[in-house]
């Protein structure tokens, strides 16, 4: 039997992770940004969920800001590292793709640093990423206090993966959008999926470090819960309507798209 | 795991009508002194599962607590100070159980092991 690579960090990876000071710095900065985007009430400690808490780097920041938190992670090695570091949050060993073991309305907010994209890896051939993502998002929607937010920092492999993730989040009832910080920098670019478990609200602006006021890249969801498949039904492939829809979709993903003009989707000469 | 977190746990395996309560016999706890913030405690009160909460506190012989949330609890500082125990009590060891099935409580809880322990065979 061929040994498959574990779909999470083992003991060696965990050891490297905890000791890397640059890693610690990056993770702490992202936790700070995620907490900022959570827009929690300023006056009181809140009760938060940390998805994919790992060795507790992000959780440490939550504790520093005075919040109580519960972390869940699938890697025993990473959680052991967290226990060694004597973090203040409560830890659970579990698979987020199988749902979160809490009563409805338990948490005032949720953050996740560099974890959600792991749901797109199918561990066994029977796991469909879309199913695991939906199970995770619908469970997350339930355990959040109505009207609270989840900010999930992630590294999407490509735009298809990001779209898969956002589609399942919308299906589960969330509204929101993707905030992109420093969209023009390969190194600094970061994606934050900002989800709201209530009626539609504003999507925060992404950061950009440019001197000229360049439009910060961000995409937004529609507040309506139109299933993606139904919305696309009846559109003829290659028609002008189809082209416009495709361009709009790519804009939502934060990509650069030519503006729509009277020439968009016009008939070309046969040899084109 | 904090007493409050235990109180919020819910398994989707046939344990009770909502997967709760799981009776916790705590054998070892630690009281961590925490800053008292009345607002924070007030927001936790509506989430508390009272029957399970009182069961644990009674077996631990902690301070006497009211039978349920009182009306206007947000302004009752005495009541909130008592409930602050939710944030301060760390349950280190114990046994989580229902009739004929049990699960050892420790610092790190495995969700899968919990489910296995409580799923009807």
């Amino acid at each position: 039997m061929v040994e498959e690579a574990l779909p999470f960090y083992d003991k060696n990876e965990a050891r490297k992770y905890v000791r890397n000071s640059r890693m610690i710095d990056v993770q702490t900065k992202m936790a700070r940004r995620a907490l900022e985007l959570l827009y929690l009430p300023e006056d009181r400690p809140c009760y938060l969920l940390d998805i994919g808490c790992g060795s507790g780097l992000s959780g440490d920041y939550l504790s520093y800001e005075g919040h109580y938190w519960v972390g869940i992670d699938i890697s025993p090695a990473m959680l052991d590292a967290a226990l060694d570091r004597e973090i203040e949050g409560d830890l659970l060993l579990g698979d987020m793709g199988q749902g979160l073991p809490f009563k409805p309305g338990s948490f005032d907010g949720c953050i996740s640093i560099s974890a959600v994209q792991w749901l797109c890896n199918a561990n066994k051939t029977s796991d469909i990423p879309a199913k695991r993502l939906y199970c995770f998002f619908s469970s997350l929607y339930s355990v959040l206090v109505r009207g609270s937010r989840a900010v999930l920092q992630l590294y999407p492999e490509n735009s298809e993966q990001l779209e898969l993730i956002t589609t399942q989040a919308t299906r589960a009832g969330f509204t929101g959008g993707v905030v992109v910080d420093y969209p023009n920098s390969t190194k600094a670019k970061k994606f934050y999926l900002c989800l709201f478990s209530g009626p539609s609200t504003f999507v925060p602006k992404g950061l950009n470090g440019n001197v000229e006021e360049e439009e910060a890249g961000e995409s937004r969801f529609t507040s309506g819960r139109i299933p993606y498949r139904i919305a696309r039904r009846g559109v003829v492939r290659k028609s002008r309507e189809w082209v416009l829809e495709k361009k709009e979709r790519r804009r939502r993903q934060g990509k650069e798209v030519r503006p729509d003009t009277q020439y968009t989707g016009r008939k070309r000469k046969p040899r084109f | 795991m904090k007493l409050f977190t235990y109180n919020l746990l819910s398994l989707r395996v046939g344990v009770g009508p909502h997967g709760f309560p799981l009776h916790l016999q705590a054998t070892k706890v630690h009281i961590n002194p925490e800053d008292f913030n009345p607002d924070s405690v007030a927001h936790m009160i509506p989430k508390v599962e009272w029957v399970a909460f009182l069961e644990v506190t009674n077996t631990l012989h902690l301070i006497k607590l009211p039978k349920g949330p009182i009306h206007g609890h947000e302004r009752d500082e005495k009541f909130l100070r008592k409930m602050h125990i939710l944030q301060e009590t760390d349950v280190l060891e114990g046994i989580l159980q229902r009739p004929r099935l049990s699960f050892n409580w420790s610092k790190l809880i495995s969700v899968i092991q919990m489910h296995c322990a409580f799923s009807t065979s």
Side-chain angles (χ1 to χ4, degrees), chain A residues 5-241:
Chain A
L6 291 173
F8 51 82
Y9 292 135
D10 63 9
K11 226 160 113 179
N12 283 324
E13 291 293 326
R15 209 179 309 132
K16 280 191 270 177
Y17 206 93
V18 176
R19 290 188 185 170
N20 185 330
S21 58
R22 191 182 160 267
M23 176 63 75
I24 295 171
D25 188 46
V26 169
Q27 296 283 308
T28 306
K29 284 203 171 83
M30 293 197 286
R32 187 176 67 201
R33 178 63 170 146
L35 196 56
E36 191 180 276
L37 292 169
L38 213 43
Y39 289 94
L40 292 172
E42 284 192 13
D43 49 349
R44 61 174 170 95
C46 290
Y47 194 67
L48 305 173
L49 180 61
D50 187 344
I51 302 285
C53 62
S55 56
L57 287 174
S58 44
D60 276 347
Y61 187 74
L62 298 179
S63 296
Y64 171 74
E65 289 289 336
H67 299 297
Y68 298 102
W69 57 277
V70 180
I72 183 167
D73 202 283
I74 200 172
S75 162
M78 291 291 262
L79 290 173
D80 278 337
L83 286 173
D84 284 340
R85 293 175 60 242
E86 296 188 356
I87 43 78
E88 287 175 48
D90 296 320
L91 298 174
L92 284 171
L93 171 63
D95 180 359
M96 53 170 139
Q98 298 194 3
L100 304 161
F102 291 98
K103 281 160 51 187
S106 293
F107 296 101
D108 302 321
C110 164
I111 67 160
S112 177
I113 305 298
S114 318
V116 174
Q117 72 275 356
W118 288 94
L119 280 171
C120 296
N121 304 339
N123 310 0
K124 312 181 268 281
T125 47
S126 55
D127 292 344
I128 308 164
K131 207 166 154 207
R132 281 161 59 72
L133 284 163
Y134 180 72
C135 184
F136 165 65
F137 281 120
S138 54
S139 167
L140 179 61
Y141 190 88
S142 165
V143 305
L144 283 173
V145 166
R146 194 58 53 242
S148 62
R149 288 181 181 81
V151 176
L152 316 174
Q153 182 274 329
L154 70 159
Y155 293 110
E157 210 173 286
N158 48 46
S159 56
E160 282 80 22
Q161 198 182 76
L162 185 59
E163 185 160 345
L164 172 65
I165 294 168
T166 56
T167 306
Q168 298 310 316
T170 314
R171 275 188 66 211
F174 283 110
T175 57
V178 178
V179 171
V180 185
D181 283 349
Y182 311 108
N184 302 312
S185 161
T186 356
K187 258 183 118 179
K189 186 176 188 178
K190 296 285 184 287
F191 292 87
Y192 295 87
L193 180 57
C194 298
L195 302 174
F196 193 58
S197 70
S200 185
T201 185
F202 73 98
V203 177
K205 274 221 169 289
L207 299 170
N208 65 59
N210 294 333
V211 178
E212 310 106 322
E213 265 333 347
E214 241 189 70
E215 185 73 24
E218 71 194 28
S219 58
R220 55 199 151 74
F221 294 164
T222 54
S223 56
R225 291 188 60 188
I226 306 161
Y228 184 66
R229 249 177 285 121
I230 294 174
R232 277 192 61 191
R233 205 189 289 156
V235 180
V236 178
R237 251 175 75 82
K238 305 299 184 186
S239 67
R240 183 161 191 272
E241 206 185 309

Side-chain angles (χ1 to χ4, degrees), chain B residues 9 11 22-25 94-98 101-106 108-118:
Chain B
L9 279 177
L11 297 182
L22 294 163
H23 307 277
L24 176 65
Q25 260 190 322
I95 303 175
L96 201 60
Q97 59 190 193
R98 61 179 281 224
L101 297 169
S102 70
F103 172 76
N104 282 328
W105 190 267
S106 57
L108 177 66
I109 303 298
S110 163
V111 179
I112 292 179
Q113 283 179 7
M114 255 203 313
H115 271 112
C116 288
F118 292 110

Side-chain angles (χ1 to χ4, degrees), chain B residues 1-94:
Chain B
M1 182 178 285
K2 281 182 205 51
L3 185 57
F4 186 53
T5 305
Y6 147 73
N7 196 252
L8 293 174
L9 279 177
S10 170
L11 297 182
R12 288 160 296 117
V13 187
V15 176
H18 308 292
F20 203 86
L22 294 163
H23 307 277
L24 176 65
Q25 260 190 322
T27 51
K28 189 170 164 191
V29 299
H30 185 257
I31 312 285
N32 298 315
E34 297 266 334
D35 290 337
F36 173 66
N37 183 307
D39 237 339
S40 176
V41 182
H43 274 92
M44 286 182 171
I45 306 296
K47 301 178 187 174
V48 173
E49 180 79 42
W50 281 88
V51 173
F53 171 63
L54 288 174
E55 243 180 44
V56 180
T57 50
N58 286 339
T59 53
L60 289 174
H61 302 292
L62 296 171
I63 54 174
K64 209 160 182 334
L65 289 156
K67 295 273 183 297
I70 55 177
H71 199 64
H73 63 259
E74 296 93 359
R75 286 172 295 277
D76 188 340
E77 191 172 314
K78 252 173 74 175
F79 171 75
L80 291 176
R81 278 199 182 269
K82 283 192 184 164
M83 293 306 290
H84 183 46
I85 206 175
L86 279 166
Q87 297 169 329
E88 292 189 316
T89 309
D90 195 0
V91 183
L92 298 171
E93 275 170 30

